[in-house]
Amino acid sequence: MPIGFDDLSAAAARRLRESGSPDIAEESGWACAWLAACAYPGVELLLEALDATPPEARHPVLEADVLGLDLGNISCVFLGPPVARMVEPQGRLFLRNVHHGLYLLPFSVKANIGIGCPVDPAFALGGERTKNPYEEKLALARQAGIVVAEPLWQRLAG
């Protein structure tokens, strides 16, 4: 069923707020819609992260060390926004123990920085991006809506 970009973003943000993650709800809700608009499993990953990660585990202290940043296998649904903010002043950051790294992609495109392979357990985030390969997909999704399977939409929107 087609869902508007803003409707999907708002539903994801509401679900995050209601499940104990108000601090990242708007940003990760937007990332969920962005991923779904680009034919990535944004909704599925968000629901999986909510099911698997208790609210008290979603806010680890993020401190870079000589090897980069250890994300402790906590979903990037919860860590995407703070990690993206950490990368901006440094320009590049190597990540370890990444889970749901695809959730870093919308933030890297938005900040116009490169990203290593988001499914690799250790990858870099940073560098300069020279073009946005997702512009066309996002424009089409905003115009025509994002196709979301009805059971996923029901689960997300409640």
Side-chain angles (χ1 to χ4, degrees):
M1 67 186 307
I3 307 295
F5 185 98
D6 292 336
D7 294 333
L8 180 55
S9 177
R14 183 174 47 256
R15 186 80 150 81
L16 284 159
R17 270 192 306 280
E18 291 170 355
S19 67
S21 295
D23 55 319
I24 52 91
E26 296 304 317
E27 291 169 294
S28 287
W30 165 82
C32 177
W34 191 101
L35 288 167
C38 294
Y40 291 119
V43 176
E44 295 91 329
L45 295 178
L46 182 133
L47 292 171
E48 182 181 307
L50 288 171
D51 288 345
T53 314
E56 62 275 6
R58 297 176 188 171
H59 308 305
V61 174
L62 296 174
E63 292 183 23
D65 55 30
V66 294
L67 298 175
L69 183 63
D70 185 350
L71 299 184
N73 289 312
I74 296 171
S75 176
C76 287
V77 167
F78 309 114
L79 300 183
V83 168
R85 285 189 286 276
M86 287 181 76
V87 171
E88 285 183 42
Q90 297 178 12
R92 186 174 178 90
L93 189 59
F94 285 92
L95 307 176
R96 304 186 306 281
N97 299 310
V98 177
H99 185 56
H100 295 150
L102 197 54
Y103 257 80
L104 294 171
L105 181 61
F107 299 105
S108 75
V109 172
K110 184 179 181 180
N112 202 35
I113 58 176
I115 188 170
C117 176
V119 295
D120 186 341
F123 65 92
L125 179 64
E128 185 178 346
R129 179 182 294 278
T130 57
K131 71 175 200 163
N132 181 348
Y134 301 98
E135 267 179 44
E136 222 172 90
K137 288 181 180 182
L138 291 167
L140 183 60
R142 286 192 180 276
Q143 187 177 49
I146 302 164
V147 176
V148 177
E150 192 168 344
L152 288 174
W153 175 247
Q154 292 301 322
R155 192 159 168 235
L156 182 68

